[in-house]
Amino acid sequence: MRNQSTSTISQVNVAAKEQRNLQQATIYRILLAVGFVHLFNDSIQAVIPAIFPILKSNMLLSFAQIGWIAFALNVTSSVIQPVIGYAADRHPRPILLPLGMGSTLTGVMLLAYANNYVLVLVSVILIGFGSATFHPEGMRVAHMAAGLKKGLSQSIFQVGGNAGQSLGPLLTKWIFIPFGQIGALGFTIIAAAGVVVQTYVARWYREMLDAGYTFSKKTVSRAMDPARRKSILRATIVLVLIVFVRSWYGQAIGSYYAFYLMDKYGLVLDSAQNYIFMYLAAGALGTLFGGPLADRFGRRNLILFSMVGTVPFGLALPFVGQFWAGVLLLIGGFILLSSFSVTVIYAQMLYPGNIGTVSGLITGLAFGLGGIGSLFIGRMIDMVGITHVFIACGFLPLLGLIALLLPGDRKLEEWAAE
């Protein structure tokens, strides 16, 4: 009887050791795979704003109609993300990874042949749905493959996405200007490659789940403490608002600044796209360096600085010459998006174990609500002119002062450790 008890304890210890090994191992091939798929996914999403000038010219669209297209993409890719993330945290579905990219593939193919405004909206919704499906499960895979290197995994995952977004202006310059709308057909190859890679990742994901991998959940003590629950809810609201404002300003630059450059400096579309690329590429670098900077100076401090530090550059942007506009875009893009991955990590520490829900809330809902900003900005441009709108947009990052209401890093770490 004693030998049987000893054997049972030994089996439990072996199982616990295997579980720890699963939790702690860093799987770089999976991290890189999911990072590249994030690049694929977001580069395809970048096709939408990249094709705006072509659609505006071909279909004689107003800025408000352009705003509705951006709204359809952002809301579709965001509103259902928290729902998918919440469901994934409770019942993981690896098959959603290739299925989501399949929806994106269908949307891109339809976009290439869409000959009216309604079909454009349908194609954009399909692309948005594919993105909404990818992000929560992709975030969980990155967290799972990270082992003990959570910050590194978040940087790899988010830099892949931001690098993909930065390709949008180049897509306009190299594909849509020479080939027109049909150029979107070339992105079916990228989407098909994404389906293949996602199938490989999903197979590994399923094997890890079958081997007993679980996401730790440290939420019981919080549920028993009403004061802490209230503090976490308040911090979540503040964080969502910050990401919303950051996304709103980013939408103004990404979707409309090319039109502003053509209007003020007389640039052709080809040259105007270079400026948007510089802004987005600088943002991708900011995302890469944001994690180490947050480790050195604090997460809340970096979130606050990324918003308020952008204000001088945003305010000066409408009043400088063509050369200095490029300089301000580089610096402003780097500063603003330096908090991109940091806000996600901050949210994960508020809700340990709920990786999919956090992804849906921060990188999905809050970011996607920027589509509302895009819709509003497009309408305002039609009403008062593009110059006045960009002067007003320069004040948006000032709202980042609400980051002062976030708990400090020490308090955040205390909550995450309990």
Side-chain angles (χ1 to χ4, degrees), residues 232-246 299-300 303-304 307 339-351 358 361-362 366-367 402-403 405-407 412:
I232 291 173
L233 177 60
R234 183 169 57 246
T236 303
I237 293 172
V238 170
L239 204 61
V240 168
L241 288 174
I242 288 171
V243 177
F244 170 59
V245 172
R246 186 181 66 198
R299 298 178 188 89
R300 185 183 67 174
I303 292 171
L304 176 63
M307 299 297 292
S339 65
F340 195 96
S341 62
V342 179
T343 49
V344 176
I345 294 171
Y346 193 102
Q348 288 177 352
M349 294 181 73
L350 287 175
Y351 299 96
V358 166
L361 188 64
I362 300 301
F367 183 80
I402 62 174
L405 300 176
L406 291 172
L412 185 66

Side-chain angles (χ1 to χ4, degrees), residues 104-280:
T104 299
L105 173 60
T106 304
V108 172
M109 189 173 297
L110 179 60
L111 179 64
Y113 293 104
N115 58 4
N116 61 65
Y117 187 59
V118 173
L119 284 180
V120 170
L121 288 174
V122 172
S123 66
V124 163
I125 288 170
L126 286 171
I127 293 171
F129 179 78
S131 179
T133 305
F134 163 71
H135 280 97
E137 287 287 14
M139 184 80 74
R140 285 169 58 83
V141 169
H143 190 276
M144 182 183 285
L148 297 177
K149 299 180 179 179
K150 305 301 183 188
L152 174 65
S153 75
Q154 195 57 232
S155 293
I156 292 174
F157 184 75
Q158 298 296 354
V159 167
N162 284 355
Q165 291 174 20
S166 72
L167 294 176
L170 298 184
L171 302 180
T172 302
K173 182 176 179 178
W174 294 337
I175 296 178
F176 295 120
I177 290 177
F179 298 106
Q181 188 176 337
I182 195 66
L185 197 62
F187 292 91
T188 58
I189 299 173
I190 296 176
V195 172
V196 173
V197 177
Q198 289 289 64
T199 301
Y200 168 75
V201 172
R203 186 178 296 115
W204 175 85
Y205 187 5
R206 171 52 60 192
E207 289 173 355
M208 289 290 286
L209 293 174
D210 292 342
Y213 185 99
T214 58
F215 292 88
S216 60
K217 295 190 176 183
K218 304 176 182 179
T219 58
V220 175
S221 62
R222 293 176 186 170
M224 299 297 293
D225 186 346
R228 178 173 296 182
R229 184 171 64 244
K230 185 176 179 181
S231 297
I232 291 173
L233 177 60
R234 183 169 57 246
T236 303
I237 293 172
V238 170
L239 204 61
V240 168
L241 288 174
I242 288 171
V243 177
F244 170 59
V245 172
R246 186 181 66 198
S247 174
W248 194 335
Y249 184 79
Q251 285 287 330
I253 300 295
S255 296
Y256 300 107
Y257 193 67
F259 296 109
Y260 177 80
L261 289 167
M262 290 187 287
D263 180 71
K264 180 172 182 178
Y265 303 116
L267 297 182
V268 297
L269 178 60
D270 193 340
S271 300
Q273 293 301 318
N274 292 331
Y275 286 77
I276 311 304
F277 170 73
M278 288 191 298
Y279 170 78
L280 295 173

